[in-house]
Amino acid sequence: MKKEELCRRAREIRENSYSPYSGFRVGAALLTKSGKVYSGVNIENASFSPTICAERSAFAAAISAGEREFEAIAVCGGENAFPPCGVCRQVMSEFCGPDFKVFVLSENDCREYTLGELLPEAFGKENMRG
């Protein structure tokens, strides 16, 4: 799958966002190594803590379907491009290496990063003792 197609899907799915409090719609399209794409949107909650980001929503869908290997994710938040939050970066690092591609989109732009650039010195399985 081409980067452009993954980015298009992220832009389209953001319309399904449930964001009545912030009005900030975010969509994500996650490409697995098997070639499947899983979508996610941000889902807000009145108490805010249970809110889930689009990136984690996409990972949850893919993991629930049995996927464990991922190629790239495209994230679109609208007019301005913004990278995934720290919690989403940490979730990505559980399943993806530092070369995992992260496409950060605005309505007219696409920036490309690796997870290693966005989360250097990630805390991972190798840091666990026991």
Side-chain angles (χ1 to χ4, degrees), residues 1 3 5 19 21-22 34-35 48 51 58 60 73 75 90 94 101 104 109 111-112 119 122:
M1 169 173 286
K3 171 177 137 180
E5 174 67 13
S19 47
Y21 307 105
S22 71
S34 68
F48 291 114
T51 295
I73 191 167
V75 183
Q90 184 62 43
E94 181 70 17
K101 298 280 186 218
V104 178
D109 187 32
R111 298 178 193 164
E112 184 175 330
L119 188 65

Short mmCIF file of all heavy atoms in Angstrom, two decimals, residues 1 3 5 19 21-22 34-35 48 51 58 60 73 75 90 94 101 104 109 111-112 119 122:
data_model
loop_
_atom_site.label_atom_id
_atom_site.label_comp_id
_atom_site.label_asym_id
_atom_site.label_seq_id
_atom_site.Cartn_x
_atom_site.Cartn_y
_atom_site.Cartn_z
N MET A 1 0.84 -1.18 0.00
CA MET A 1 0.00 0.00 0.00
C MET A 1 0.88 1.24 0.00
O MET A 1 1.88 1.30 0.70
CB MET A 1 -0.90 0.02 1.22
CG MET A 1 -1.60 1.35 1.41
SD MET A 1 -2.80 1.34 2.71
CE MET A 1 -4.07 0.42 1.91
N LYS A 3 1.93 5.19 0.59
CA LYS A 3 1.79 6.19 1.64
C LYS A 3 0.56 7.07 1.40
O LYS A 3 -0.18 7.36 2.33
CB LYS A 3 3.07 7.02 1.68
CG LYS A 3 3.05 8.22 2.56
CD LYS A 3 4.41 8.88 2.52
CE LYS A 3 4.30 10.36 2.42
NZ LYS A 3 5.60 11.03 2.38
N GLU A 5 -2.27 6.44 -0.07
CA GLU A 5 -3.52 5.74 0.24
C GLU A 5 -3.75 5.67 1.75
O GLU A 5 -4.85 5.87 2.24
CB GLU A 5 -3.51 4.33 -0.36
CG GLU A 5 -4.68 3.47 0.02
CD GLU A 5 -6.03 3.95 -0.54
OE1 GLU A 5 -6.06 4.82 -1.43
OE2 GLU A 5 -7.06 3.45 -0.07
N SER A 19 -15.99 13.56 19.21
CA SER A 19 -15.26 14.62 19.91
C SER A 19 -16.17 15.80 20.24
O SER A 19 -15.92 16.93 19.81
CB SER A 19 -14.07 15.07 19.07
OG SER A 19 -14.45 15.29 17.73
N TYR A 21 -16.60 17.44 22.97
CA TYR A 21 -16.10 18.40 23.95
C TYR A 21 -15.02 19.31 23.38
O TYR A 21 -15.05 20.50 23.58
CB TYR A 21 -15.61 17.67 25.21
CG TYR A 21 -16.68 16.75 25.72
CD1 TYR A 21 -16.60 15.37 25.54
CD2 TYR A 21 -17.83 17.26 26.32
CE1 TYR A 21 -17.61 14.53 25.97
CE2 TYR A 21 -18.85 16.43 26.74
CZ TYR A 21 -18.74 15.07 26.56
OH TYR A 21 -19.76 14.25 26.97
N SER A 22 -14.10 18.74 22.66
CA SER A 22 -13.01 19.54 22.09
C SER A 22 -13.30 19.98 20.66
O SER A 22 -12.77 20.97 20.20
CB SER A 22 -11.70 18.74 22.09
OG SER A 22 -11.76 17.70 21.13
N SER A 34 0.99 -7.57 7.25
CA SER A 34 0.22 -8.47 6.38
C SER A 34 -0.53 -7.70 5.29
O SER A 34 -1.18 -8.31 4.44
CB SER A 34 -0.77 -9.29 7.22
OG SER A 34 -1.79 -8.46 7.77
N GLY A 35 -0.46 -6.37 5.32
CA GLY A 35 -1.08 -5.55 4.29
C GLY A 35 -2.47 -5.05 4.63
O GLY A 35 -3.07 -4.30 3.85
N PHE A 48 -12.89 12.94 30.64
CA PHE A 48 -11.60 13.08 29.95
C PHE A 48 -10.62 11.93 30.15
O PHE A 48 -10.02 11.50 29.19
CB PHE A 48 -10.93 14.43 30.26
CG PHE A 48 -11.66 15.59 29.66
CD1 PHE A 48 -12.28 16.52 30.47
CD2 PHE A 48 -11.77 15.72 28.30
CE1 PHE A 48 -12.98 17.58 29.93
CE2 PHE A 48 -12.47 16.78 27.73
CZ PHE A 48 -13.07 17.71 28.56
N THR A 51 -10.84 9.05 27.73
CA THR A 51 -10.71 9.39 26.32
C THR A 51 -9.59 8.55 25.69
O THR A 51 -8.55 8.34 26.30
CB THR A 51 -10.41 10.89 26.15
OG1 THR A 51 -11.54 11.63 26.61
CG2 THR A 51 -10.11 11.26 24.71
N ALA A 58 -6.81 2.60 16.75
CA ALA A 58 -6.42 1.78 15.60
C ALA A 58 -5.60 0.57 16.05
O ALA A 58 -5.83 -0.56 15.57
CB ALA A 58 -5.61 2.60 14.59
N ALA A 60 -5.75 -0.87 18.97
CA ALA A 60 -6.66 -1.77 19.68
C ALA A 60 -7.46 -2.63 18.71
O ALA A 60 -7.63 -3.84 18.92
CB ALA A 60 -7.60 -0.98 20.59
N ILE A 73 1.82 4.11 10.34
CA ILE A 73 0.55 4.70 10.73
C ILE A 73 0.49 6.11 10.17
O ILE A 73 1.51 6.81 10.12
CB ILE A 73 0.36 4.70 12.27
CG1 ILE A 73 -1.09 5.06 12.62
CG2 ILE A 73 1.36 5.60 12.95
CD1 ILE A 73 -1.45 4.78 14.07
N VAL A 75 -1.67 9.70 10.72
CA VAL A 75 -2.52 10.36 11.71
C VAL A 75 -2.89 11.74 11.18
O VAL A 75 -2.02 12.53 10.83
CB VAL A 75 -1.80 10.51 13.06
CG1 VAL A 75 -2.71 11.14 14.09
CG2 VAL A 75 -1.27 9.18 13.54
N GLN A 90 4.27 5.51 23.32
CA GLN A 90 4.66 4.39 24.16
C GLN A 90 3.94 3.11 23.74
O GLN A 90 4.53 2.04 23.67
CB GLN A 90 4.38 4.69 25.64
CG GLN A 90 4.84 3.61 26.58
CD GLN A 90 6.35 3.37 26.54
OE1 GLN A 90 7.14 4.31 26.50
NE2 GLN A 90 6.75 2.11 26.55
N GLU A 94 5.55 -0.62 22.07
CA GLU A 94 5.32 -1.99 22.55
C GLU A 94 5.31 -2.98 21.40
O GLU A 94 5.70 -4.13 21.54
CB GLU A 94 4.00 -2.06 23.33
CG GLU A 94 3.68 -3.41 23.89
CD GLU A 94 4.58 -3.84 25.05
OE1 GLU A 94 5.26 -2.98 25.66
OE2 GLU A 94 4.61 -5.05 25.34
N LYS A 101 7.22 3.68 10.60
CA LYS A 101 6.92 4.96 9.96
C LYS A 101 5.67 5.60 10.58
O LYS A 101 4.66 4.94 10.78
CB LYS A 101 6.67 4.78 8.46
CG LYS A 101 7.86 4.24 7.72
CD LYS A 101 8.84 5.33 7.42
CE LYS A 101 9.94 4.79 6.54
NZ LYS A 101 11.22 5.31 6.87
N VAL A 104 2.45 12.16 9.76
CA VAL A 104 1.69 13.16 10.50
C VAL A 104 1.11 14.14 9.48
O VAL A 104 1.85 14.81 8.76
CB VAL A 104 2.60 13.89 11.51
CG1 VAL A 104 1.82 14.97 12.24
CG2 VAL A 104 3.20 12.89 12.50
N ASP A 109 -0.71 18.77 4.09
CA ASP A 109 0.70 18.46 4.25
C ASP A 109 0.87 17.07 4.87
O ASP A 109 -0.04 16.58 5.54
CB ASP A 109 1.34 19.52 5.17
CG ASP A 109 2.85 19.38 5.26
OD1 ASP A 109 3.49 18.96 4.28
OD2 ASP A 109 3.41 19.70 6.32
N ARG A 111 4.05 15.04 6.97
CA ARG A 111 5.41 14.94 7.49
C ARG A 111 5.67 13.48 7.83
O ARG A 111 4.80 12.80 8.35
CB ARG A 111 5.58 15.79 8.73
CG ARG A 111 5.34 17.26 8.48
CD ARG A 111 5.48 18.05 9.75
NE ARG A 111 4.95 19.39 9.54
CZ ARG A 111 4.64 20.20 10.53
NH1 ARG A 111 4.83 19.83 11.79
NH2 ARG A 111 4.17 21.39 10.27
N GLU A 112 6.87 13.02 7.57
CA GLU A 112 7.21 11.62 7.83
C GLU A 112 8.29 11.53 8.90
O GLU A 112 9.30 12.22 8.83
CB GLU A 112 7.71 10.97 6.54
CG GLU A 112 7.99 9.51 6.66
CD GLU A 112 8.36 8.86 5.33
OE1 GLU A 112 7.89 9.31 4.28
OE2 GLU A 112 9.14 7.89 5.38
N LEU A 119 10.29 9.00 19.67
CA LEU A 119 10.42 8.44 21.02
C LEU A 119 11.82 7.83 21.20
O LEU A 119 11.97 6.62 21.27
CB LEU A 119 9.33 7.40 21.28
CG LEU A 119 9.22 6.88 22.71
CD1 LEU A 119 8.80 7.98 23.67
CD2 LEU A 119 8.22 5.73 22.78
N ALA A 122 13.18 4.80 24.15
CA ALA A 122 11.87 4.30 24.60
C ALA A 122 12.03 3.27 25.72
O ALA A 122 12.97 2.48 25.72
CB ALA A 122 11.12 3.67 23.43
#
